[in-house]
Amino acid sequence: KGIEQIALPRRYRPGSGHFPRRGHVILLGEWWLPGAWLRLGDVSRITQVATIVWERDHAPVRAALLETGCPVDHVFVCDAQRRFYDLPGPVHPVPMSIDLFRPRAGAAPSDRFVVGRLSRDVVEKHDFVNDPPLYSALLSRGAAVRLMGATCIAPMLQRHPRMHVMPVRSEPATDFLHSLDCFFFRTGTWYDTFATVLFEAMASGLPVVAHRWGGYSEYIRDGMDAFLFDTQEEALDILETLRKDVALRMRMGAQARRAVEALYSPQAVRDRA
């Protein structure tokens, strides 16, 4: 009757014989190999939702699903992922609540420019070679930098009164995003197939500046609802333009919100379901 009426998750214990025995099983991700319970039941259909680009984890899961002799469908969160695995299946954005993430009330002071990012606090999620000098350049131009989930690279960052580095969950994500004027995103060795936080920033009405290397770029119209860059110089040029142009920041933030509203409109969600 609706996703809000689905029962809370339960932990199944196959050893006691308590596990799903029939129906349509949906497996999210490739981090765990499905256990023997999947072969013991009378499952009619399996859908596996791929979340990463990592053949080392995906191949064993795919093989285990095929061993059941049950029809297996695959769903992907970006087309690059689908092409990497060379499998048929639809491409759907990761579900998220845009009602939780909304533009802040009131305009920020026009003389400030706060650039920030939010991510897991692991070095793979940061470009520790290029990000520190980029943040230093922003500071030298009068901007402030707020990073939540960047303590892993803190020793590489410039000490400065306008540089704020904090652990994950130091404050609610909604409050953190409302403290920014621009959201910056780039990873290091990790390929983000979707980067939900980037779309949360867009839903919050922020102009987003993101490296093109990521599955999220497939959902972005460069220069219309967010900015994509390839080089360090391009990133700094875009950020400097946004720093100087308050009207552009407001316009891009509004377009970002509209783009996310279209991506997660009730009709779009029904079509994907």
Side-chain angles (χ1 to χ4, degrees):
K1 294 182 179 180
I3 193 168
E4 71 281 355
Q5 297 185 25
I6 292 177
L8 292 174
R10 292 169 293 182
R11 181 180 296 277
Y12 291 106
R13 305 186 186 281
S16 65
H18 179 58
F19 57 88
R21 292 183 178 275
R22 60 180 55 85
H24 180 185
V25 173
I26 301 174
L27 300 174
L28 302 178
E30 305 93 323
W31 298 107
W32 301 278
L33 196 64
W37 64 268
L38 191 59
R39 297 189 298 274
L40 296 175
D42 184 22
V43 176
S44 59
R45 181 182 174 196
I46 299 173
T47 298
Q48 195 249 341
V49 182
T51 57
I52 60 174
V53 174
W54 206 340
E55 181 67 13
R56 187 193 72 182
D57 287 329
H58 185 80
V61 172
R62 188 166 68 238
L65 298 184
L66 291 175
E67 286 177 3
T68 66
C70 178
V72 179
D73 299 318
H74 297 277
V75 176
F76 306 95
V77 298
C78 68
D79 192 61
Q81 185 186 44
R82 183 191 61 77
R83 288 184 280 109
F84 178 83
Y85 292 130
D86 192 25
L87 290 169
V91 176
H92 291 175
V94 172
M96 60 171 278
S97 173
I98 64 171
D99 291 331
L100 178 62
F101 295 90
R102 291 186 172 277
R104 67 183 170 218
S110 59
D111 60 344
R112 78 166 208 181
F113 186 53
V114 183
V115 179
R117 66 163 285 162
L118 166 63
S119 71
R120 289 192 292 119
D121 207 338
V122 293
V123 72
E124 296 87 355
K125 297 285 284 186
H126 299 268
D127 184 341
F128 56 85
V129 174
N130 292 303
D131 285 351
L134 180 136
Y135 297 144
S136 293
L138 290 172
L139 294 169
S140 70
R141 298 173 186 185
V145 178
R146 300 195 81 217
L147 308 173
M148 186 156 71
T151 62
C152 60
I153 63 166
M156 309 172 195
L157 301 176
Q158 177 184 352
R159 293 182 179 273
H160 194 283
R162 293 194 305 277
M163 169 69 79
H164 306 282
V165 182
M166 61 199 81
V168 174
R169 292 187 292 275
S170 298
E171 58 190 57
T174 50
D175 294 349
F176 177 81
L177 292 172
H178 285 170
S179 74
L180 307 180
D181 300 303
C182 177
F183 187 84
F184 177 79
F185 192 82
R186 171 168 56 188
T187 61
T189 58
W190 183 263
Y191 182 85
D192 255 305
T193 53
F194 191 76
T196 305
V197 67
L198 186 150
F199 294 92
E200 292 170 349
M202 293 175 66
S204 301
L206 287 173
V208 166
V209 180
H211 194 275
R212 198 180 302 273
W213 191 63
Y216 50 80
S217 64
E218 298 173 13
Y219 297 90
I220 289 174
R221 297 176 300 167
D222 186 18
M224 299 182 67
D225 43 49
F227 292 104
L228 298 173
F229 67 89
D230 293 293
T231 68
Q232 183 89 326
E233 293 72 23
E234 289 175 353
L236 285 169
D237 287 346
I238 294 168
L239 290 165
E240 179 66 5
T241 299
L242 288 168
R243 184 183 72 84
K244 294 179 178 179
D245 194 335
V246 178
L248 176 61
R249 299 204 301 259
M250 295 180 64
R251 186 167 66 252
M252 289 298 296
Q255 291 173 182
R257 174 68 194 188
R258 285 194 291 270
V260 173
E261 286 177 345
L263 188 62
Y264 292 102
S265 70
Q267 185 59 53
V269 172
R270 284 194 296 270
D271 290 346
R272 288 193 287 269

